[in-house]
Amino acid sequence: QVQLVESGGGLVQAGGSLRLSCAASGGAFSSYDMGWFRQAPGKEREFVAGIAWSGRTTSYRNSVKGRFTVSRDNAKNTVYLQMNSLKAEDTAIYYCAAAPGRLELARTRENEYDYWGQGTQVTVSS
C-alpha cells in the first residue's frame, strides 16, 4: 500500500506560480499511474492532470492546459504539478492519487485511483 504526502501549496497572487510535490512511500512508485485532482469549496472534486507510470503519457483538464505541467521522478518517488499563470478559479485543495498498474495511461477518472494524499491548499488571490 502506498502512502502519499503533498506539499508546496500556499497563497499566491493571480498570475503567479506554484509547484506542488507528492512524495510516495510504501510501494513501488514506478508501478503506479499518478494523478492530481482538486476540490474547491462547495464543489465536487475534479481531475486536473494525470501521468502514466513511465512519465511519457500525460493528460490535463482543458482549463489548465498550457498553464500546468505534470511530471514525475521515479528515482525520487515523487510526482510534481507545476502551476503557472494561476487564476482565482484555481483556488482549491489539491490531491495527488495513485492508480496501480502499468497501463501507460494518464487516467482521468477518480474511481480509477486507489490511494490518495491528504491534500494541500492552494489559494490564488485576485
Side-chain angles (χ1 to χ4, degrees):
Q1 183 170 343
V2 65
Q3 290 82 44
L4 304 172
V5 179
E6 302 95 336
S7 61
L11 174 64
V12 63
Q13 289 188 334
S17 298
L18 283 174
R19 188 176 84 152
L20 305 183
S21 299
C22 173
S25 62
F29 181 70
S30 62
S31 296
Y32 293 88
D33 299 325
M34 300 297 294
W36 287 96
F37 290 75
R38 67 187 182 188
Q39 187 168 22
K43 295 187 177 181
E44 293 187 351
R45 189 156 56 184
E46 63 184 17
F47 169 78
V48 176
I51 185 166
W53 68 273
S54 67
R56 291 192 296 266
T57 304
T58 59
S59 180
Y60 300 90
R61 71 179 298 104
N62 286 338
S63 63
V64 308
K65 284 181 180 178
R67 299 189 297 122
F68 290 11
T69 302
V70 61
S71 62
R72 65 189 294 162
D73 185 337
N74 286 345
K76 295 183 177 180
N77 292 348
T78 302
V79 62
Y80 305 97
L81 185 68
Q82 178 67 43
M83 305 186 295
N84 299 329
S85 301
L86 282 161
K87 305 176 181 180
E89 52 262 43
D90 295 318
T91 295
I93 299 174
Y94 282 71
Y95 300 90
C96 73
R102 289 185 165 189
L103 300 183
E104 196 56 41
L105 292 174
R107 310 190 204 195
T108 62
R109 294 180 297 184
E110 192 171 333
N111 62 8
E112 296 183 278
Y113 290 87
D114 290 348
Y115 305 104
W116 294 81
Q118 82 290 348
T120 186
Q121 176 70 48
V122 172
T123 303
V124 184
S125 62
S126 57

